[in-house]
Amino acid sequence: DGGITQSPKYLFRKEGQNVTLSCEQNLNHDAMYWYRQDPGQGLRLIYYSQIVNDFQKGDIAEGYSVSREKKESFPLTVTSAQKNPTAFYLCASTGEPNQPQHFGDGTRLSIL
Amino acid sequence: GNSVTQMEGPVTLSEEAFLTINCTYTATGYPSLFWYVQYPGEGLQLLLKATKADDKGSNKGFEATYRKETTSFHLEKGSVQVSDSAVYFCALKTSYDKVIFGPGTSLSVIP
């Protein structure tokens, strides 16, 4: 079955450490997205990419970085510059304009 | 700019009660509208969608009608179950790049 796979499901970061969250899709979708969700709150867009080797900042890109070297993959790095990284991170993709986004099951990041 | 407003939660209902979660939007152009559901600890799942005015999306007993004249897309269900307890997000999309999500409405259904 086609879908979006996020890994790991849980991740712990030490102070001053960069960590990378994986997002892989086999839906042949062009566009991919990263969102951050804090407890009891909605989704905030971190980065998005419409095509390979291109990506744009979302509303809260500071302290994060991404790459899009392959159509299927859109990893998110949470850098040490992100001072409050504890959150639930969701990856999504979409294939056509005005079509809904498909979501992965999320990665929960915590600070040690 | 584009925006989505949802009714504040949390909403608590008894089983078999009628559910309405209000959603209104502001958008340029002709957006597609969506309702997503999020169960605890999981990602978002598409619940239903409507791509043009007067379309009615429906799924699992939930319905929502795209009302352009009132810029609304209210979610309804005639008889909720305990298993419907989740967070519901209204969203709009006008182009290829971004989806605008509402803040989410938490629903708890008690037996």
Side-chain angles (χ1 to χ4, degrees):
Chain A
D1 287 341
I4 299 178
T5 301
Q6 289 188 243
S7 62
K9 191 170 180 64
Y10 299 96
L11 186 58
F12 298 91
R13 193 191 90 169
K14 294 181 181 179
E15 292 289 341
Q17 187 181 46
N18 293 352
V19 292
T20 297
L21 285 60
S22 171
C23 177
E24 303 278 332
Q25 54 100 357
N26 61 2
L27 299 166
N28 199 34
H29 285 171
D30 286 315
M32 298 185 73
Y33 309 79
W34 275 106
Y35 294 92
R36 170 179 172 142
Q37 186 178 29
D38 292 283
Q41 297 189 29
L43 280 68
R44 293 186 289 171
L45 182 64
I46 305 173
Y47 268 99
Y48 63 102
S49 168
Q50 296 180 357
I51 56 172
V52 174
N53 293 323
D54 187 45
F55 48 83
Q56 287 77 43
K57 293 182 179 180
D59 301 318
I60 55 164
E62 186 174 351
Y64 300 97
S65 66
V66 293
S67 62
R68 187 85 186 276
E69 297 177 1
K70 298 186 300 182
K71 186 176 185 177
E72 309 81 50
S73 179
F74 191 41
L76 173 74
T77 296
V78 184
T79 75
S80 58
Q82 173 49 247
K83 298 306 179 187
N84 184 24
T86 298
F88 190 49
Y89 291 87
L90 288 163
C91 180
S93 71
T94 188
E96 295 290 336
N98 290 329
Q99 289 302 306
Q101 292 182 342
H102 296 253
F103 283 83
D105 287 336
T107 293
R108 188 166 301 280
L109 175 62
S110 302
I111 295 295
L112 282 178
Chain B
N2 299 332
S3 67
V4 175
T5 303
Q6 283 181 242
M7 64 186 290
E8 294 286 333
V11 174
T12 302
L13 295 174
S14 298
E15 205 165 22
E16 299 184 3
F18 185 87
L19 168 71
T20 300
I21 300 178
N22 290 337
C23 171
T24 57
Y25 68 90
T26 302
T28 55
Y30 302 95
S32 293
L33 301 173
F34 310 99
W35 276 102
Y36 286 86
V37 59
Q38 184 180 33
Y39 299 102
E42 298 183 9
L44 275 67
Q45 301 175 26
L46 179 67
L47 182 60
L48 54 84
K49 67 177 182 179
T51 57
K52 62 184 186 298
D54 299 326
D55 269 1
K56 177 185 281 189
S58 62
N59 186 25
K60 300 180 181 179
F62 291 90
E63 293 183 339
T65 301
Y66 189 149
R67 302 287 188 197
K68 191 167 177 63
E69 64 277 11
T70 55
T71 62
S72 64
F73 193 54
H74 305 322
L75 182 68
E76 296 182 335
K77 186 175 186 182
S79 176
V80 293
Q81 305 300 312
V82 172
S83 57
D84 293 327
S85 298
V87 180
Y88 293 82
F89 293 92
C90 184
L92 71 82
K93 190 177 185 191
T94 58
S95 65
Y96 206 30
D97 56 0
K98 291 187 190 180
V99 174
I100 308 298
F101 288 90
T105 301
S106 176
L107 170 66
S108 294
V109 180
I110 55 177

